[in-house]
Structure formats: structure tokens, C-alpha cells
Amino acid sequence: MSDVDAVGVRAFPLPTPQDFRVSLVRHTNYWEYVLSTRVKDTTLLGGVINNGNALGGIAKLEATHDPLKGIQYSGIVQGELGNISFSRFSVGYAFTVWENRIRILNNVGVGYDWNSYFQGTPENPVLKVRGGYESNVLTPYTFSQVSGGYGEPIGKEFNWRLDANARLYTFPLDLKAQLSLDVTPSFTYRPVAGLALTASHLERFVLGDSSLYTYNLDRYQESNASVTYRIPGTPDFGLGALRVRGSRNWTGDYTYLRNDVFLNIKALPFLIGPSVGYQWGPAKNGSNSQWLYALVVIGR
């Protein structure tokens, strides 16, 4: 890479009966380490999560119970360099309609957002307030979400799908609200056994403003495409699959191309291998373009 800011793995699945995921990444100024799992519709997470090129990571504890239907509750506390930067406690209820194709969720909660971050050096950190947002916001809120999708096969080779996700945050004490809508059409084409071509496009529309910086969304557009070929008759150890991925972030003016090689190792419940890619932009002179290296996994 042009500039190596971090080296490690994220959400790496451990070969255990319970699905544990581990992250271990060395950043310039700190270690990122996270252990997470999901037990009976409950996500449990603890550790220090990614904070980019900041002086320190973000310590985070999360317990979120979010089954498809029924009672929902969540608690998140996270902090940066000894300060609580964001926390949320909420409870609600979800139900489905149209044969579980559409899920409707309503939550009420209390959120705290510090809206600040640190710059400078580890020896002399400088506190900054994010532009356009107040610091130390503590406010109740409501959250409503309607999400779902529908798709149909066309013959044996082609499948299309349309997904949508509408969210509404309201902040009654501040007389603020934000409505957002994600629309994602996608399709998959399988011309021969083992070969899959996929493409999708995301359009996000936003109206209004959020009192909590962490929940504030902006207009967004992104397109993705991939070609995956799974090698037939793979031995206990050998080449399992090949994949090429392309992505275009229209909002941020980024373009990515990644090439993945997956190895089949009998002792692991997944395929794993190296990935080499390249990022173009967003700077017009190419100053932010760089090589991308990663370790990737895919289900069997």
C-alpha cells in the first residue's frame, strides 16, 4: 500500500461450534481487538474498535437482542481516550407482514453523543468538536423502521431482487426528525455450475436532521459487482474459489477493484485466502489511490 496505517484481521471466524468472530489489528497509535458472537438472537461484543488514524481506538461494549419478531432491546456504551463518546439504551417491538417479507420495528430509547474526537499526538492530544454539531447531547428518541424485499427467479440462471429500508428518527425535546430511505436493486446470474455474477446498486435519500451525530445520515450512492467461480471437485487442501469484485462509491468518488483467491482447508468451516486490490481516488490527482491487501473468507 502507499501508506500502511493498519495491519491485522477483522471479524475472523474461529473454528468453534459457537460462531465467535475476532478482530486483531495494529494501528499506528493503538491496537484494535474485538470479540463478538451471536447467541439466540442476541449479539454480544466487547473490545476496542476501529477509529481510523486517531490517537486511540474506541472502547465498546454491546448487547443487542433483535429477533425477527418480538421484543427488542439494546445497550451500547463506547468511549475514546477515557471519555464516553456514545451510548444508547433502547427497547421496542418488531413484527412482520406479507409472509415475513416486510419487517416493522418501533423503538424508544435514550442516546448520548459527545460528538468530539482527538487530534494531535499521543503525548499532546487536542480535543476537537465535530463541525455543525453540539457536544454532550443527551436526549430521548424514537426509532421506526420498515424493511423488506422481494425477488423472483427468471428461469434457472437469473434471479432479481429489490430491497428497501425506511427509517425515521424523532427527537421530541429538540423538535427534530430525520427520515431516510435505502433502495437496493440486485441480480444474480449463474450461466454454468459454480459460476455466479452478481450486481447491486444502493440509493439513499435523506430528509431532516438528527440530534445525535452518530445517527445522522447523508445522501449516498454505491454500485457493486462481482464474479465468483467455485472450483469443482476440490480436494481436502487446494484451490476452492476465485472472485473478482468491483465497487464504485459515487458519493465519495472512490473506485475499488479487488481480486480474491480462496483456499479449501478441510479443518476450517469456510474458505480463506488472500486478496489484492487497488483503490482509485477520490483526489483528482490520484494522491489517495493505493494498493489494498487483505485476508478474506467465504462460506462453503
Side-chain angles (χ1 to χ4, degrees):
M1 298 176 63
S2 304
D3 296 300
V4 178
D5 298 318
V7 177
V9 296
R10 287 200 180 102
F12 187 84
L14 299 181
T16 58
Q18 175 62 35
D19 183 11
F20 285 101
R21 304 295 176 102
V22 63
S23 297
L24 184 63
V25 180
R26 176 57 185 171
H27 294 263
T28 303
N29 298 314
Y30 62 93
W31 280 94
E32 172 190 343
Y33 50 91
V34 179
L35 181 65
S36 63
T37 188
R38 188 159 177 87
V39 182
K40 295 182 179 179
D41 298 321
T42 302
T43 297
L44 302 173
L45 181 150
V48 174
I49 64 175
N50 178 31
N51 198 17
N53 294 323
L55 297 181
I58 298 176
K60 182 175 181 178
L61 290 174
E62 176 183 356
T64 297
H65 182 71
D66 54 355
L68 179 66
K69 296 182 283 187
I71 297 295
Q72 318 275 309
Y73 55 84
S74 178
I76 295 176
V77 177
Q78 61 188 49
E80 182 179 357
L81 294 184
N83 297 278
I84 295 179
S85 58
F86 172 73
S87 61
R88 178 198 74 195
F89 300 93
S90 63
V91 62
Y93 189 82
F95 62 95
T96 63
V97 297
W98 196 19
E99 298 179 343
N100 291 336
R101 292 190 181 97
I102 296 178
R103 181 175 185 260
I104 301 173
L105 166 68
N106 290 287
N107 273 349
V108 295
V110 176
Y112 171 77
D113 215 334
W114 191 28
N115 300 327
S116 303
Y117 62 102
F118 288 92
Q119 289 183 331
T121 65
E123 297 77 19
N124 184 28
V126 178
L127 180 62
K128 302 285 186 179
V129 176
R130 302 184 192 275
Y133 287 86
E134 300 178 34
S135 60
N136 295 308
V137 176
L138 175 64
T139 183
Y141 67 90
T142 69
F143 173 59
S144 298
Q145 181 182 54
V146 180
S147 58
Y150 184 77
E152 286 285 351
I154 301 177
K156 296 181 179 180
E157 298 85 12
F158 189 80
N159 194 323
W160 68 269
R161 184 174 176 86
L162 179 64
D163 291 280
N165 187 1
R167 315 172 196 82
L168 174 64
Y169 284 98
T170 68
F171 304 90
L173 297 186
D174 302 326
L175 300 179
K176 287 185 177 181
Q178 184 179 81
L179 175 67
S180 62
L181 172 65
D182 293 356
V183 179
T184 308
S186 61
F187 74 87
T188 301
Y189 178 55
R190 295 182 174 88
V192 296
L195 181 63
L197 292 77
T198 64
S200 64
H201 179 76
L202 167 64
E203 289 279 349
R204 174 174 293 163
F205 306 92
V206 180
L207 178 66
D209 194 16
S210 169
S211 296
L212 299 173
Y213 173 85
T214 304
Y215 287 158
N216 196 66
L217 297 176
D218 292 315
R219 179 81 165 95
Y220 189 78
Q221 297 172 293
E222 181 178 297
S223 301
N224 292 277
S226 69
V227 179
T228 305
Y229 180 63
R230 294 179 178 269
I231 309 298
T234 304
D236 290 346
F237 178 82
L239 187 61
L242 301 171
R243 182 175 66 184
V244 177
R245 294 176 290 155
S247 180
R248 173 62 179 170
N249 179 336
W250 302 97
T251 305
D253 195 22
Y254 286 91
T255 302
Y256 302 91
L257 179 64
R258 295 179 173 90
N259 301 277
D260 308 326
V261 177
F262 297 96
L263 300 177
N264 178 48
I265 303 173
K266 185 178 180 180
L268 300 178
F270 47 80
L271 305 182
I272 184 171
S275 173
V276 179
Y278 196 76
Q279 168 194 309
W280 288 269
K284 299 300 182 182
N285 61 4
S287 61
N288 286 339
S289 298
Q290 60 180 334
W291 288 96
L292 306 170
Y293 304 103
L295 187 67
V296 291
V297 297
I298 191 174
R300 289 187 176 277

